[in-house]
């Protein structure tokens, strides 16, 4: 049985199945990327709900694994060399899981780097912009009288959706015929912009053709449907 005692987070959220990947997360657009990947890959894992409403990510136990204080994070009891490995940052986790299994990432080097490029596109552009738009349109920022910040993020989010619209022209998935970690990285964010954030009108989502069709295909995948609800919210 794997010994995870070196990870302080396991004292706050004990592992019932220490031989499985330990997932610390919540079903947000960032969080579900990893749960969807784990479901797609069929890797055994144990999810732990991190209640961001109670600021649990800022407690010493969670920070010991993820000093950035954001979900998700994982511990793989069978990391490289058979030793436990802790990881934070969803993009890094997606890449690690894909390389660990040899799935959801093309073997061809050029295609592999192109896939990683689109994962970074989500991390560096889509996630931050969509998240800020959500803040100014759905959350506390909606009370601000000055709508210039909201409009700035709406404009940039619309531009980014246009990038995806162009990329998906004639393609089933971001990389063509093959579903990859690039799709997993983006699905939750695009789903939220027109769903939970209710910002579809601000970004003219109805004018898009390729992005909605891609989103529908992605959400129809059983692993995605399961992953969107993991871990259970408190």
């Amino acid at each position: 049985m794997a010994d995870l005692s070196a990870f302080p987070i396991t004292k706050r959220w004990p592992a019932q199945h220490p031989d499985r990947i330990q997932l610390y997360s919540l079903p947000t657009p960032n969080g579900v990327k990893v749960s969807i990947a784990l479901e797609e890959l069929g890797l055994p894992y144990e999810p732990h709900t991190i209640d961001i409403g109670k600021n649990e990510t800022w407690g010493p136990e969670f920070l010991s694994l993820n000093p950035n204080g954001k979900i998700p994070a994982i511990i793989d009891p069978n990391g490289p060399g058979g030793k436990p490995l802790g990881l934070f940052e969803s993009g890094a986790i997606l890449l690690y899981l894909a390389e660990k299994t040899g799935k959801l990432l093309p073997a061809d080097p050029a295609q592999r780097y192109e896939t990683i490029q689109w994962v970074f596109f989500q991390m560096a552009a889509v996630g931050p912009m969509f998240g800020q738009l959500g803040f100014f349109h759905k959350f506390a920022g909606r009370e601000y009288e000055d709508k210039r910040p909201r409009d700035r993020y709406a404009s940039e989010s619309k531009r980014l959706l246009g990038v995806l619209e162009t990329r998906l022209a004639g393609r089933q998935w971001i990389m063509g015929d093959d579903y990859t970690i690039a799709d997993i990285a983006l699905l939750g964010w695009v789903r939220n912009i027109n769903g939970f954030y209710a910002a579809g009108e601000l970004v003219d989502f109805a004018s898009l053709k390729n992005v909605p069709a891609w989103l529908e295909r992605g959400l129809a995948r059983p692993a995605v449907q399961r992953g969107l609800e993991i871990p259970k919210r408190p």
Side-chain angles (χ1 to χ4, degrees):
M1 182 174 291
D3 181 8
L4 303 182
S5 61
F7 296 90
I9 195 170
T10 61
K11 296 177 174 61
R12 173 66 177 78
W13 291 279
Q16 301 301 313
H17 305 281
D19 291 326
R20 301 178 187 177
I21 291 174
Q22 304 294 305
L23 169 65
Y24 306 90
S25 190
L26 192 72
T28 70
N30 264 343
V32 299
K33 284 183 279 186
V34 176
S35 55
I36 289 171
L38 288 166
E39 288 291 322
E40 292 279 9
L41 294 167
L43 290 168
Y45 70 102
E46 180 179 355
H48 302 273
T49 299
I50 308 301
D51 191 345
I52 60 179
K54 294 181 179 178
N55 293 322
E56 289 184 340
T57 55
W58 302 112
E61 298 89 355
F62 187 84
L63 289 172
S64 69
L65 180 59
N66 182 357
N68 193 34
K70 303 290 183 181
I71 56 168
I74 67 167
I75 298 172
D76 183 358
N78 186 29
K83 298 179 180 179
L85 174 69
L87 282 177
F88 67 94
E89 294 300 338
S90 57
I93 297 171
L94 287 180
L95 182 57
Y96 170 73
L97 294 175
E99 292 189 328
K100 177 183 176 73
T101 59
K103 300 177 181 178
L104 299 176
L105 188 65
D108 174 78
Q111 291 284 297
R112 177 178 178 273
Y113 281 112
E114 190 175 345
T115 304
I116 295 171
Q117 165 188 262
W118 286 100
V119 174
F120 285 7
F121 172 71
Q122 181 273 302
M123 296 174 64
V126 168
M129 291 299 111
F130 286 19
Q132 288 298 317
L133 178 56
F135 172 77
F136 283 104
H137 185 63
K138 173 78 175 181
F139 297 109
R142 72 182 185 277
E143 305 297 335
Y144 296 2
E145 272 188 54
D146 187 348
K147 297 304 179 186
R148 286 177 296 179
R150 184 203 67 180
D151 293 344
R152 181 259 189 268
Y153 289 113
S155 177
E156 181 64 2
S157 295
K158 182 178 179 179
R159 185 190 70 80
L160 294 172
L161 285 169
V163 173
L164 288 176
E165 180 75 1
T166 299
R167 174 65 180 182
L168 288 164
R171 296 172 181 265
Q172 184 176 17
W173 304 109
I174 295 294
M175 291 302 297
D177 293 333
D178 295 327
Y179 174 84
T180 67
I181 56 173
D183 299 286
I184 294 174
L186 287 157
L187 277 168
W189 285 106
V190 177
R191 171 179 178 256
N192 258 33
I193 207 74
N194 199 42
F196 183 66
Y197 293 159
E201 187 174 346
L202 284 175
V203 298
D204 202 14
F205 195 85
S207 70
L208 303 174
K209 176 184 176 183
N210 302 321
V211 170
W214 162 83
L215 179 62
E216 184 177 357
R217 284 191 293 273
L219 295 179
R221 295 178 69 89
V224 174
Q225 294 177 22
R226 294 192 299 271
L228 288 171
E229 304 297 328
I230 297 172
K232 291 294 185 185
R233 285 185 173 272

